[in-house]
Amino acid sequence: MKLLKLVMFLLVGGVLLGGLSCGKKGPPFLPQKTFNLSVVDLRGKCERDAVFLEGKIMDLSRAEKKAAMVKGARVYYVTYPLSDKPCEGCPLLFRAYREFGEEVASGENFLCRFPIHSRPKVYFFKVQLIGPEGTLGPRSGTLKIVVR
């Protein structure tokens, strides 16, 4: 009986000690692929029932233009009534987004038709390009558009 307790103690101690001493633990994972294309100089204009967003597609890491790698875009947005718009510099919570396909990239240009349904409102937009295998690039700057 004493021998069995000693063996169990050594076995449990060995497993615990071995688990703590032999490198990083955790589930296996694939390294994240990076995608550095982003929309810069984001601007927009409202026409009838849509906001047209446009800008330049740039590779932020190398300052090269590679729109052929763009597989789509996420357009994050948040709206506020004109009477209750946020103060300048206040944080904005971009909870909603719409995804668009490859048609948003043409050469080095970004162009997207974003449908709107209610007026008057203040819209804020950010764009994040989608690359190969669904990787996401950095978000653009924030664009504010007042729709009357």
Side-chain angles (χ1 to χ4, degrees):
M1 192 66 158
K2 288 183 181 182
L3 184 59
L4 183 61
K5 286 183 180 181
L6 179 62
V7 169
M8 290 299 288
F9 177 74
L10 290 174
L11 196 61
V12 170
V15 168
L16 290 175
L17 191 58
L20 295 174
S21 63
C22 63
K24 184 177 178 181
K25 301 291 183 255
F29 66 93
L30 294 172
Q32 290 283 347
K33 294 187 178 194
T34 58
F35 181 69
N36 291 318
L37 294 183
S38 180
V39 175
V40 295
D41 299 328
L42 183 63
R43 55 198 180 281
K45 59 184 173 184
C46 181
E47 292 183 11
R48 295 186 186 186
D49 61 344
V51 171
F52 289 88
L53 303 170
E54 57 185 315
K56 295 287 182 195
I57 298 173
M58 296 286 288
D59 185 335
L60 299 180
S61 63
R62 291 180 230 115
E64 295 175 13
K65 299 166 186 164
K66 298 183 178 178
M69 294 175 60
V70 175
K71 302 302 177 200
R74 274 189 187 174
V75 177
Y76 294 88
Y77 65 97
V78 62
T79 63
Y80 293 93
L82 285 177
S83 61
D84 192 26
K85 58 187 174 187
C87 63
E88 291 295 322
C90 288
L92 301 170
L93 298 174
F94 289 92
R95 293 185 179 155
Y97 66 87
R98 288 191 183 165
E99 285 198 2
F100 298 88
E102 294 179 21
E103 70 277 359
V104 297
S106 174
E108 58 192 48
N109 297 314
F110 171 82
L111 179 61
C112 176
R113 181 186 179 277
F114 188 92
I116 57 172
H117 303 292
S118 59
R119 294 171 177 251
K121 294 270 186 181
V122 178
Y123 283 81
F124 292 90
F125 296 98
K126 281 190 178 206
V127 176
Q128 192 171 25
L129 295 175
I130 302 171
E133 300 175 20
T135 54
L136 295 171
R139 289 187 183 184
S140 71
T142 302
L143 173 66
K144 173 184 173 182
I145 301 231
V146 177
V147 178
R148 299 193 186 274

